[in-house]
Amino acid sequence: MILQTALPSRLPSEHLAALRAQIAQVQAARGPVLPFGLPQIDTRLASGGLDGAALHEIAGASASWSDDAAATLFAAGLAARFAAVQGMTVLWALSRFDLYAPGLEQVGLGPGKVLYAQGRKDSEVLALAEDALRDGSLACVIAEVKAADQTATRRLQLAASDGRTPMLLYRRHRSRERSPLAQPSAAMTRWSIAAAPSTALPHAGIGRGQWTIELVRQRGGNPFSLLVEACDDQGCLALPAAVADRATTPVGASIRAA
């Protein structure tokens, strides 16, 4: 839970001006777009990266634990990169705290970069996220829910735009038969994440994890899918050697990983 300190009902004008200046400085430092740093992804995105003042949705490709973990770490890696500017913090809102802190730290989202807010149900989590977005002083807001209708996503998109803060909505599976991304949404991008076998090593051990990331929908662009190596300790993705050496598919074309 986030502890709030009571503030006077009226702040002196110079304090308000200082607060507004600090928020503007944070927003300017964050920048309007976060590129992935991989041409195979960035050239296929309409904005050249993730819009820093918009709603983006993420879901596991299935209800399996492995896909759920991959989707969680994908979101955490993005948040870690949004928070890379010194002094910026991520808010993670959820109704059930089942996150594994060491796993988040491995993708760059250490305990000093994230605050947690817990609601009793999805509607409370969405309200927490909306308020945090409108504040405008956070690096990124993540919210985990099982249900968010189109009205809720429109509110989040408007709040992200007003606060110039990126919103990552992690849709958890309600059933094994239906993808959470099947619901209508106002999101700018919608991502489906699946765990994939890691690259074989020449010696005993487990190689770097791999994911199949699929951009199911984006405004102003085409969907695509790509096999990538999981986030490193800076939240950055990489391409497996076999994919990196492959001829580049034309921008806008859809590709499928085997």
Side-chain angles (χ1 to χ4, degrees):
M1 294 291 292
I2 296 179
L3 299 178
Q4 297 181 338
T5 302
L7 294 175
S9 57
R10 292 186 178 182
L11 291 174
S13 59
E14 60 271 18
H15 289 182
L16 286 174
L19 287 172
R20 291 192 182 104
Q22 288 175 6
I23 290 174
Q25 185 177 9
V26 166
Q27 292 171 340
R30 181 173 51 231
V33 173
L34 178 74
F36 282 84
L38 296 174
Q40 292 82 351
I41 298 178
D42 293 332
T43 56
R44 292 179 172 87
L45 292 172
S47 301
L50 288 185
D51 190 329
L55 167 64
H56 306 280
E57 291 186 349
I58 299 165
S62 74
S64 69
W65 287 105
S66 57
D67 287 354
D68 179 78
T72 300
L73 293 176
F74 177 77
L78 291 176
R81 296 188 60 228
F82 275 119
V85 179
Q86 186 175 2
M88 300 185 70
T89 305
V90 172
L91 177 72
W92 199 311
L94 70 179
S95 58
R96 186 183 65 172
F97 194 90
D98 58 355
L99 295 170
Y100 182 60
L104 300 184
E105 190 164 12
Q106 286 181 352
V107 297
L109 195 61
K113 295 182 179 180
V114 59
L115 299 172
Y116 298 101
Q118 189 167 5
R120 292 171 297 178
K121 52 187 178 180
D122 284 350
S123 60
E124 292 185 0
V125 171
L126 292 170
L128 286 167
E130 186 177 339
D131 287 345
L133 289 169
R134 294 191 186 280
D135 180 74
S137 62
L138 294 164
C140 175
V141 176
I142 303 176
E144 293 186 27
V145 296
K146 287 188 175 181
D149 60 21
Q150 197 160 16
T151 299
T153 60
R154 283 174 180 162
R155 291 182 64 91
L156 291 176
Q157 172 58 39
L158 287 172
S161 178
D162 290 345
R164 295 180 60 195
T165 302
M167 173 70 211
L168 305 179
L169 183 64
Y170 180 25
R171 288 184 177 266
R172 307 295 291 265
H173 279 257
R174 302 176 68 180
S175 69
R176 294 183 176 274
E177 291 74 26
R178 187 180 183 187
S179 169
L181 299 180
Q183 296 177 287
S185 173
M188 188 70 69
T189 64
R190 308 187 81 184
W191 300 84
S192 175
I193 313 298
S198 60
T199 304
L201 297 176
H203 49 77
I206 300 175
R208 182 173 172 179
Q210 294 190 154
W211 303 331
T212 298
I213 63 171
E214 180 178 4
L215 181 58
V216 176
R217 175 184 173 274
Q218 66 167 321
R219 291 189 196 176
N222 296 320
F224 64 86
S225 66
L226 187 68
L227 180 68
V228 298
E229 291 186 342
C231 296
D232 62 13
D233 60 0
Q234 302 298 313
C236 297
L237 301 172
L239 292 183
V243 177
D245 295 339
R246 189 179 302 163
T248 303
T249 305
V251 175
S254 177
I255 61 175
R256 294 280 177 175

